Amino acid sequence: MTGRMELPVSLVMADLQSLAEAIRTRAVSCVEVMSAYLDQIEEFNPKINAIVALQPRDVLLREAGGRDAEIARGQYRGWMHGLPWAVKDLAVTKGIRTTFGSPLFKDYIPTEDGLMVSRLRKAGVVIVGKTNVPEFGCGSQTYNTVYGVTGNAYDPTKTAGGSSGGAASAIALRMLPAADGSDMAGSLRNPAAFNNIYGLRPSFGRVPLGPTDDVFLQNLVYEGPLGRTPRDVAMLLSAQAGYDPRSPLSITQDMASFTAPLDRDFKGARLGWVGDCSGELPIEPEVLEVCRSALASFEAIGCIVEDIPLGFSTERLWKSWLALRSVWAAGHLIDTYKDPAQRPLIKPEIQWEIETALGVSGIDVYNAGVVRSEFYLHVLKLFETYDYLLAPTAQVFPFDKTTHWPTEICGRKTDAYTRWMETAIIWSLAGGPAISVPAGFGKSGLPMGLQIIGRNHAEFAVFQLAHAYHEATRWSEEVLPPLLREV
């Protein structure tokens, strides 16, 4: 070892860029890094159940040793070389059990990797296992009958959010350096907010989905990155993104720019804060209070923050979402639903989605798409005045992990299991990049986040504002989970 880099006493506390550079310069070996992370997993994973399908330690150390041998031969694969990785259990992984959180797939071992996973392997990661998810990724509460429930990094009795809940909780407890995830209704953003880290839902087409995923699905589900800092998230997106001919709607833009420095002057930048959309969305008062207090940090870096109305009916957006979402669920699971032997193996919330979809016509889907297009143009108009938009990431703080979903917010009944996620769903329909950044903590000590929403394809600009905000706040680095503080 050359000893050319100064790293934290614990390797798992190093940021992604520093850790990658230490491996590249051989200041630390891939085996040492793997061993440190496996020790962390052994210590904390039993407390929160974030990483599943964990591979044998000797196999992983042997693979990490192979990555060290590659570097010794001059075969360095890039900044992800030798990093321990766990893939979200909605992405197929060759030779590693992939369940989608469903008992229907509890014994499924794929024979090939998904598109994004193949990119990560080629970049040099060592896959240690999978990160836990709700069944088929449905709902922002990570529980299933295969692996059980995932606890919050800041209070293991609370939910980690979802559907990338396992990934977010594992990152916060330093069991992973960063992680991949996916997002339909907030699945990269909500768990980031609930675990005091960063999660980006990128622009439509930024990260290509696999050739078996239909175009309709690609309109709704986006894969993306989670990390401890905006820089970490940007670095990961550079590896996930990029055109693939098997994904016809993927973006051709070169992604190398995401690894560039993020420093920028934001004096005079105009930010529009939509809050609870003029009272249309039920959001816990303390959530709004924490998010509103975070606005001062944007002002401290020179931004001008203004309260603005969304100016578009959230109920119209909800109905559009409901039609598009339910048809997606039905399309994937209708045959299973029709089978009396298999239907009981699907959780009630998904059965409800399918039953809802059976009452949706082709004209309904068309009209839902029209509303979504109208909203995209409306948001485009907002960006003529504002450089960025801001919104809460969630409507409630992390709730008890035995509760499947909040049935009431501020005295209003929630008529669907995703209704409590509307503040994220709205920006899913907009199609552009939205990153959840830590906003602070409630009186209970639980985290909350807010979203920075940017123009379509403007991920780098979003990263720049998130980075400036991070430098002014450092929530994810300064306020560690109590479990880590106890060690």
Side-chain angles (χ1 to χ4, degrees):
M1 298 299 159
T2 63
R4 283 180 284 174
M5 286 201 66
E6 188 174 324
L7 287 168
V9 174
S10 173
L11 289 173
V12 300
M13 299 303 292
D15 65 84
L16 198 56
Q17 189 173 42
S18 298
L19 189 62
E21 182 64 9
I23 290 174
R24 185 189 71 81
T25 60
R26 301 174 71 186
V28 66
S29 71
C30 297
V31 168
E32 289 173 318
V33 172
M34 177 61 70
S35 183
Y37 272 98
L38 291 179
D39 288 347
Q40 195 80 351
I41 292 169
E42 183 178 327
E43 173 73 22
F44 295 108
N45 200 50
K47 296 178 174 68
I48 61 166
N49 189 39
I51 298 176
V52 296
L54 185 64
Q55 300 302 288
R57 187 182 186 103
D58 61 334
V59 172
L60 296 172
L61 290 174
R62 188 161 55 247
E63 191 171 349
R67 292 290 186 269
D68 284 325
E70 288 177 349
I71 294 178
R73 295 193 300 267
Q75 297 173 336
Y76 180 66
R77 302 193 192 196
W79 68 265
M80 298 190 85
H81 190 111
L83 291 179
W85 207 263
V87 175
K88 186 174 179 178
D89 201 26
L90 297 183
V92 294
T93 43
K94 181 179 179 180
I96 300 176
R97 188 159 73 135
T98 300
T99 73
F100 312 105
S102 167
L104 295 167
F105 290 90
K106 63 183 177 62
D107 299 315
Y108 175 48
I109 299 179
T111 56
E112 60 181 29
D113 287 325
L115 194 157
M116 189 228 6
V117 177
S118 67
R119 286 185 171 183
L120 297 178
R121 281 204 207 258
K122 186 177 180 181
V125 302
V126 178
I127 298 178
V128 303
K130 309 298 288 285
T131 55
N132 202 23
V133 298
E135 186 178 335
F136 293 114
C138 290
S140 196
Q141 215 286 50
T142 297
Y143 72 94
N144 60 67
T145 58
V146 181
Y147 292 117
V149 64
T150 295
N152 189 290
Y154 284 79
D155 181 347
T157 70
K158 306 297 185 184
T159 179
S163 61
S164 306
S169 200
I171 292 169
L173 282 170
R174 276 51 180 176
M175 294 190 289
L176 294 172
D180 60 87
S182 53
D183 186 308
M184 179 184 278
S187 291
L188 281 157
R189 292 161 287 161
N190 182 272
F194 278 12
N195 289 279
N196 193 39
I197 63 167
Y198 294 80
L200 173 83
R201 177 184 170 91
S203 297
F204 175 35
R206 178 65 71 195
V207 178
L209 291 177
T212 59
D213 295 316
D214 60 60
V215 172
F216 188 81
L217 173 67
Q218 293 180 37
N219 256 304
L220 294 173
V221 179
Y222 305 173
E223 290 181 315
L226 297 122
R228 302 173 200 166
T229 69
R231 182 182 287 110
D232 288 358
V233 175
M235 287 177 65
L236 178 51
L237 185 63
S238 74
Q240 293 176 301
Y243 177 75
D244 188 287
R246 294 168 293 176
S247 183
L249 301 177
S250 55
I251 298 171
T252 57
Q253 179 184 343
D254 180 20
M255 294 302 100
S257 62
F258 289 147
T259 60
L262 297 176
D263 300 295
R264 176 180 158 190
D265 182 3
F266 279 94
K267 186 176 182 180
R270 295 187 69 184
L271 280 54
W273 162 250
V274 301
D276 62 359
C277 299
S278 304
E280 290 186 34
L281 298 184
I283 300 179
E284 290 180 353
E286 194 181 359
V287 169
L288 287 172
E289 181 183 333
V290 169
C291 289
R292 186 169 285 282
S293 68
L295 301 182
S297 295
F298 289 99
E299 293 172 333
I301 60 175
C303 298
I304 301 167
V305 184
E306 302 174 34
D307 284 54
I308 65 169
L310 180 63
F312 200 98
S313 168
T314 59
E315 191 60 22
R316 288 187 71 205
L317 291 171
W318 170 254
K319 290 177 179 176
S320 169
W321 161 260
L322 199 60
L324 296 172
R325 160 80 173 210
S326 61
V327 170
W328 166 83
H332 282 262
L333 294 167
I334 188 66
D335 291 338
T336 302
Y337 175 83
K338 288 179 177 179
D339 184 340
Q342 294 194 86
R343 184 187 298 183
L345 298 178
I346 308 173
K347 70 180 181 179
E349 293 91 333
I350 301 178
Q351 292 188 42
W352 173 83
E353 294 237 34
I354 296 170
E355 290 161 1
T356 299
L358 294 176
V360 175
S361 69
I363 294 297
D364 293 332
V365 174
Y366 171 80
N367 288 333
V370 168
V371 171
R372 186 182 184 187
S373 296
E374 288 177 4
F375 182 57
Y376 175 81
L377 294 175
H378 176 77
V379 172
L380 207 61
K381 191 73 176 174
L382 289 176
F383 281 126
E384 292 180 8
T385 302
Y386 299 98
D387 300 297
Y388 300 86
L389 302 175
L390 303 175
T393 302
Q395 291 163 241
V396 300
F397 280 100
F399 47 88
D400 194 285
K401 69 180 181 183
T402 62
T403 300
H404 289 179
W405 48 281
T407 57
E408 183 178 300
I409 308 172
C410 302
R412 294 195 219 176
K413 298 290 185 183
T414 51
D415 54 4
Y417 78 105
T418 52
R419 184 67 107 149
W420 67 279
M421 301 162 62
E422 280 187 85
T423 186
I425 288 171
I426 286 170
W427 305 108
S428 292
L429 292 172
I435 189 171
S436 178
V437 303
F441 293 78
K443 296 181 180 67
S444 64
L446 293 171
M448 183 43 59
L450 64 79
Q451 299 170 88
I452 299 173
I453 300 109
R455 294 177 172 87
N456 194 24
H457 294 189
E459 280 87 346
F460 190 74
V462 167
F463 287 141
Q464 288 179 311
L465 180 56
H467 173 70
Y469 172 83
H470 174 78
E471 291 298 301
T473 58
R474 293 191 170 271
W475 284 115
S476 61
E477 296 175 319
E478 298 294 337
V479 186
L480 298 177
L483 287 174
L484 288 181
R485 293 178 234 155
E486 292 166 4
V487 175

